[in-house]
Amino acid sequence: MSTSVLEKQAVLIVPSDSTPNHILQLSALDSQLFVRFTFEYLLVYKPSNGVDRASITNNVKSALGRALVPYYPLAGRVRSRADGSGLEVVCRAQGALFIEAVSNCTGSEFNGAPKRISQWRKFLSFDVADVLDGAPPLVVQLTWLSDGGATLAVGFNHCLCDGVGSGEFLNSFAELALGKRGYDELEPTPIWRRHLLDPVSFESTHDNSLSHPEFGSVADVCGFSSRYDRERLVPTSIVFDKNMVSELKKITKSTFTSFEVLSAHVWRSWARAMNLPSNQIVKLIFSVNIRQRVNPSFPSGYYGNAFVLGCAETSVGDLTENGLRYAAELVKRAKERVGNGYLREVVDSVSWNQETVDSVGSLIMTQWSRLGLESVEFGIGKPVRVSPVCSDKYCILCPVPSSITTVKVNLAVLSSAVDQYLYFLRNFYA
């Protein structure tokens, strides 16, 4: 039986109280080309006895309206500035979109990886193709499942907030739904202050791609890009528990963090499975939260984009032959480069040169496992699964709600490489 999702209502939710009527400037990091898309969470909740669906739905809608008072830019609309220098958000309390739906599927539909990359698209049915075309920057869909469970799917315009900011919003929104606090008592208190990331230098005349390989291009010596045009992407989802990560650390015979060894292992498995020539340069590009890595640190509650991209880069030959420790060392060095100077260079690059990421040879990774998504409880318990709405060629490290030390690696892999990728990923000594 095919999965059906039937919309019951779709309404704009405006802030429940008066909010400022003005235009806010977005930062250089908010305005960069790389974040002009919507990122989408899918939270799955198990069946609960005696749930009053109408009451829960009304609580969610009410809580959303209250959350949009302190987070009122999420009820605005993002557009380009008239002078083309960046983006801004027009705050007129236009509203966020709320959708309620029902589905004939059960929670078991979301075990493991989907069969197709867009299999769960209907659970966030409003798909924003252009984040600058007047669409609501926040979309929430509550879908009731046939077994009594539910899904909560949420789409955020990345120009307005990053993963950390979205996690803080969702947990505040959930607390409002449970009546734990009022919208003027949120912790942390949401803070705008996007001027903290204004460019401070004049237009750069040097090539920052030399010092920032995340913005540089590499030669496509094997038709890398064309393979993604020709081949089907196959979703994968593999769980790594604490013992498995500890085993990876043992292999390196060094003191790397869990992220360093796991990301290095995924990168090597992907590169080896792709069967690329040894002279093809490959990159692992990953987000680095800068809130506490710069001096002074960012204020608590800053929910704008406060991350830069770390980049580990090497040839396929070296990545394959030199082993996991070599790859983990590259990741570690890329992380260690991030500080005040690095941040300022990135701000200047994306402000003056409109730098963005070239996908040739790149595996892009982001970490959702430390955003608090597994704690979002709005009246039917905490989620039992967290995943992206749609699978993609970007690797996402998701939390596993049943174990805080376990991570789920989600990545859609080319059909010609997926079997080898899963083999290398599961066999640490291969």
Side-chain angles (χ1 to χ4, degrees), residues 22-309:
H22 57 186
I23 296 174
L24 292 171
Q25 305 295 301
L26 289 163
S27 77
L29 294 189
D30 296 327
S31 299
Q32 61 185 315
L33 300 175
F34 182 68
V35 299
R36 296 186 184 185
F37 68 96
T38 299
F39 61 94
E40 302 169 331
Y41 302 129
L42 182 63
L43 312 182
V44 182
Y45 296 83
K46 67 181 181 181
S48 299
N49 294 325
V51 168
D52 184 337
R53 291 185 177 185
S55 177
I56 293 291
T57 300
N58 288 333
N59 279 346
V60 169
K61 290 168 65 177
S62 174
L64 183 56
R66 282 176 280 143
L68 289 174
V69 177
Y71 282 99
Y72 69 89
L74 291 177
R77 298 294 182 266
V78 178
R79 70 183 186 189
S80 296
R81 295 178 202 160
D83 63 2
S85 62
L87 304 179
E88 61 190 15
V89 54
V90 180
C91 300
R92 303 278 188 264
Q94 298 97 316
L97 181 61
F98 173 81
I99 301 168
E100 182 190 15
V102 293
S103 175
N104 64 347
C105 84
T106 66
S108 61
E109 163 86 11
F110 307 99
N111 292 337
K115 293 181 175 63
R116 305 178 309 278
I117 59 174
S118 58
Q119 182 172 327
W120 299 335
R121 175 77 269 168
K122 293 179 181 178
F123 293 90
L124 189 62
S125 58
F126 190 80
D127 185 11
V128 179
D130 184 352
V131 296
L132 305 183
D133 196 30
L138 174 64
V139 181
V140 178
Q141 180 170 327
L142 175 61
T143 303
W144 298 103
L145 306 178
S146 62
D147 62 356
T151 63
L152 186 74
V154 189
F156 288 90
N157 183 331
H158 210 328
C159 302
L160 279 173
C161 63
D162 64 4
V164 172
S166 68
E168 290 175 351
F169 170 84
L170 286 174
N171 278 284
S172 293
F173 159 54
E175 289 187 340
L176 291 170
L178 294 176
K180 288 186 176 181
R181 63 183 78 236
Y183 68 71
D184 56 348
E185 303 171 314
L186 299 183
E187 295 179 4
T189 302
I191 290 175
W192 187 253
R193 300 186 68 180
R194 306 299 168 100
H195 66 277
L196 293 173
L197 288 168
D198 284 345
V200 294
S201 67
F202 294 101
E203 182 169 354
S204 174
T205 57
H206 68 280
D207 184 4
N208 270 330
S209 65
L210 297 176
S211 56
H212 287 269
E214 69 273 24
F215 298 136
S217 299
V218 301
D220 187 349
V221 301
C222 60
F224 182 93
S225 297
S226 63
R227 289 180 65 182
Y228 281 92
D229 295 330
R230 296 192 314 267
E231 292 188 42
R232 179 173 60 94
L233 285 170
V234 179
T236 68
S237 182
I238 302 296
V239 170
F240 285 81
D241 62 22
K242 183 179 179 179
N243 291 335
M244 296 167 74
V245 174
S246 294
E247 186 65 24
L248 290 174
K249 290 180 179 180
K250 288 180 183 177
I251 292 172
T252 67
K253 298 179 181 179
S254 187
T255 55
F256 293 111
T257 67
S258 296
F259 174 79
E260 288 162 359
V261 294
L262 180 56
S263 62
H265 177 59
V266 173
W267 184 30
R268 290 188 74 242
S269 299
W270 169 82
R272 295 170 75 187
M274 290 283 285
N275 195 28
L276 304 170
S278 62
N279 63 333
Q280 175 66 58
I281 300 299
V282 289
K283 303 178 185 180
L284 176 68
I285 297 175
F286 55 94
S287 55
V288 181
N289 182 4
I290 60 172
R291 285 169 172 79
Q292 304 300 321
R293 297 182 73 95
V294 294
N295 187 23
S297 60
F298 277 58
S300 175
Y302 183 90
Y303 62 97
N305 286 286
F307 75 93
V308 294
L309 297 174

